[in-house]
Amino acid sequence: MSSNAELERLEPIKGKCDICNCVDGKTREDQAIRNMQRCKECGIKVHETCYGMPKTNAKDPDFRCHACKAVGRTVLVSKPHQEVKTMVQRKRPVACALCPIKTGPHAMHPLYDVNGTEGRQVVNKNNELAWVHTLCAMYISSYNGYVYGCDRDGEAYDADETEDTSKAPEPGGTLGTVENGEITAAVSAAEDDSDEITAVSTAYFVIGGKETGKDADWAKETRSNILNARRGVCFICNKKDNIHGVLRIPVECSAGSKNEPQQLLKDRENADEICTKPMHVGCAMWGLNSRGEPARYRRVFYYPGLPAQTNESTANDLKPGLVDNKVACYCNKHAKQRKENKRKRKKLEELEARKKKMRIEEEEEEDEDGEEENGGDREEDNDESSNNNDNDAESNTGGSIAVSL
């Protein structure tokens, strides 16, 4: 049992995480699992776990998101065997390579071409450094693994693992530095530890399909799967993705999927109904309808899960059933169905709770009435007993007098 000091109410950051759409923890115990930080430049709010950061129990007033830190950075985009080429990140990125949403700001990560020490940030068809929404990348990574995160050394990482180091490169890596028009440094993300900053587990994301060696078979299968996925047309933006140079990857509606979270499944009708309507994660989260209005019902659910070392009973108390990673996207039909059924279920639960309370109160009143009746019976019995005793006494007195006479 935690002490009062450990459960002391803290001053949480107001608002919701840009990735999971949940609020900040309100106690130290809660924040140890889901602590939120706010970028001092663009103002986005992210949970450390959602953003792929090492977990802390403090608020960092100087926290800056990856995208804001990247402004003004010179990035090496050429391979070791190529002529040196760099690009400068002129402004904060807002466009995502995995969806067509270009508004923001949102939480973002750089997109690299491959993992490993030779990985370089992708240059898109508009000749810009490519970035992805953290939500889009994290979702697809959890959904089918076609996109995966890498640490500062270019190694694919387990979402539950974090680096235990006080030094790490700027997120995405300062891969080249230009002074007076000349390159004075051209290093990999793994080698660049010039800035002493908080360690970051997820330095960047990679779209699978180019891996070699022992991962060659997986890469081949992944390329085929991504091509098949891109044949689907997002029902929100209606953009085609099976075009050369397009990196977007749509996902399907989770209704009826074997991975549909039970917490969401229970609020849908016809649980066996399967829907495969395609959509981009970013469109489902932030896309507008034909009238320029946001979605009426929530379509995207992303929960990063809780650390493996988290006490499960505590975790269930904080967020029941969400110890494991859970993701889901719904088309408009199933998003509406889930929301309306949830409202009905809550109303029924509230009604049942009121009925139960009334039954308990009625039973308590009956018990009280029974006690009062029993008390009255005992008083009547006592009165009769007292009267009988008095009559007996009078009879005995009368008898004594008669004898003495």
Side-chain angles (χ1 to χ4, degrees):
M1 186 76 179
S2 300
S3 64
N4 291 333
E6 290 174 330
L7 294 176
E8 177 185 355
R9 183 179 177 83
L10 303 178
E11 195 62 41
I13 292 175
K14 295 181 180 179
K16 294 183 178 181
C17 173
D18 187 67
I19 302 164
C20 74
N21 202 40
C22 294
V23 297
D24 193 7
K26 297 181 180 180
T27 66
R28 289 184 182 178
E29 190 173 47
D30 195 352
Q31 287 192 1
I33 298 171
R34 199 79 81 236
N35 188 31
M36 184 181 285
Q37 303 289 355
R38 176 174 43 223
C39 178
K40 72 174 186 178
E41 293 189 11
C42 70
I44 65 156
K45 294 170 278 290
V46 293
H47 290 123
E48 293 165 339
T49 305
C50 296
Y51 205 37
M53 298 169 57
K55 295 173 289 296
T56 70
N57 57 1
K59 304 299 182 189
D60 182 1
D62 296 321
F63 171 72
R64 290 190 300 158
C65 69
H66 301 345
C68 287
K69 277 188 174 183
V71 177
R73 179 185 304 158
T74 301
V75 178
L76 180 68
V77 295
S78 57
K79 296 293 186 178
H81 57 279
Q82 298 175 335
E83 182 181 351
V84 173
K85 181 182 178 181
T86 63
M87 294 186 68
V88 178
Q89 184 72 52
R90 300 292 181 186
K91 58 183 180 180
R92 188 197 189 281
V94 292
C96 173
L98 295 173
C99 79
I101 298 296
K102 296 181 180 179
T103 56
H106 293 296
M108 306 195 80
H109 274 80
L111 178 67
Y112 274 41
D113 52 1
V114 295
N115 64 346
T117 57
E118 292 192 5
R120 297 291 185 264
Q121 192 164 355
V122 172
V123 179
N124 62 27
K125 64 178 184 178
N126 297 322
N127 200 35
E128 298 172 335
L129 293 168
W131 288 74
V132 294
H133 291 133
T134 306
L135 171 63
C136 293
M138 289 286 195
Y139 186 102
I140 295 175
S141 177
S142 301
Y143 175 72
N144 52 30
Y146 299 164
V147 175
Y148 58 89
C150 292
D151 63 17
R152 65 175 186 169
D153 296 322
E155 296 293 332
Y157 77 101
D158 187 320
D160 287 338
E161 295 176 358
T162 56
E163 296 183 47
D164 187 17
T165 176
S166 60
K167 287 189 176 184
E170 292 284 348
T174 306
L175 301 184
T177 303
V178 176
E179 293 181 5
N180 299 323
E182 295 185 0
I183 297 174
T184 58
V187 297
S188 70
E191 295 169 330
D192 178 22
D193 61 356
S194 56
D195 292 321
E196 197 166 322
I197 61 173
T198 304
V200 178
S201 290
T202 313
Y204 56 85
F205 283 93
V206 172
I207 297 177
K210 296 182 180 180
E211 293 73 17
T212 58
K214 61 182 178 61
D215 296 321
D217 291 341
W218 176 85
K220 181 179 179 180
E221 182 181 356
T222 298
R223 286 196 302 273
S224 176
N225 290 337
I226 291 175
L227 287 174
N228 287 331
R230 285 177 175 156
R231 291 192 177 99
V233 178
C234 174
F235 78 91
I236 301 168
C237 70
N238 293 314
K239 292 183 181 294
K240 294 183 178 180
D241 299 326
N242 58 344
I243 302 172
H244 179 71
V246 173
L247 302 176
R248 297 187 297 263
I249 303 176
V251 300
E252 294 180 345
C253 178
S254 298
S257 165
K258 63 179 181 180
N259 296 321
E260 183 178 9
Q262 290 297 317
Q263 294 86 349
L264 305 177
L265 177 61
K266 66 183 180 182
D267 289 320
R268 281 202 312 102
E269 297 173 358
N270 305 321
D272 294 333
E273 178 185 6
I274 297 176
C275 179
T276 58
K277 186 170 285 190
M279 70 197 86
H280 298 116
V281 176
C283 290
M285 187 68 171
W286 301 297
L288 306 178
N289 61 22
S290 58
R291 297 186 296 276
E293 302 168 339
R296 187 176 178 184
Y297 303 98
R298 183 177 176 183
R299 295 183 292 215
V300 181
F301 298 84
Y302 172 79
Y303 301 106
L306 299 172
Q309 66 270 24
T310 301
N311 180 279
E312 187 166 341
S313 61
T314 301
N316 286 330
D317 289 340
L318 295 171
K319 189 69 72 172
L322 296 181
V323 176
D324 296 326
N325 181 290
K326 307 288 182 185
V327 298
C329 268
Y330 291 108
C331 64
N332 289 336
K333 171 188 172 181
H334 291 107
K336 178 181 179 180
Q337 181 188 92
R338 191 206 66 81
K339 184 64 176 180
E340 291 182 345
N341 287 344
K342 182 178 180 180
R343 288 173 180 165
K344 292 177 183 177
R345 176 173 59 82
K346 285 195 169 184
K347 286 183 179 179
L348 288 174
E349 289 174 353
E350 291 172 359
L351 180 61
E352 287 298 321
R354 286 197 296 269
K355 287 181 178 179
K356 183 177 179 180
K357 183 179 179 181
M358 290 176 62
R359 285 197 301 268
I360 292 173
E361 291 176 349
E362 289 174 357
E363 290 174 358
E364 289 176 349
E365 289 177 0
E366 289 176 359
D367 291 341
E368 289 176 359
D369 292 341
E371 290 179 0
E372 290 178 0
E373 290 178 2
N374 291 335
D377 293 340
R378 284 195 296 271
E379 288 178 2
E380 291 178 2
D381 292 341
N382 291 335
D383 291 342
E384 291 179 2
S385 176
S386 176
N387 291 333
N388 291 334
N389 291 337
D390 290 341
N391 292 333
D392 291 341
E394 289 177 1
S395 300
N396 292 336
T397 302
S400 300
I401 293 171
V403 170
S404 61
L405 290 173

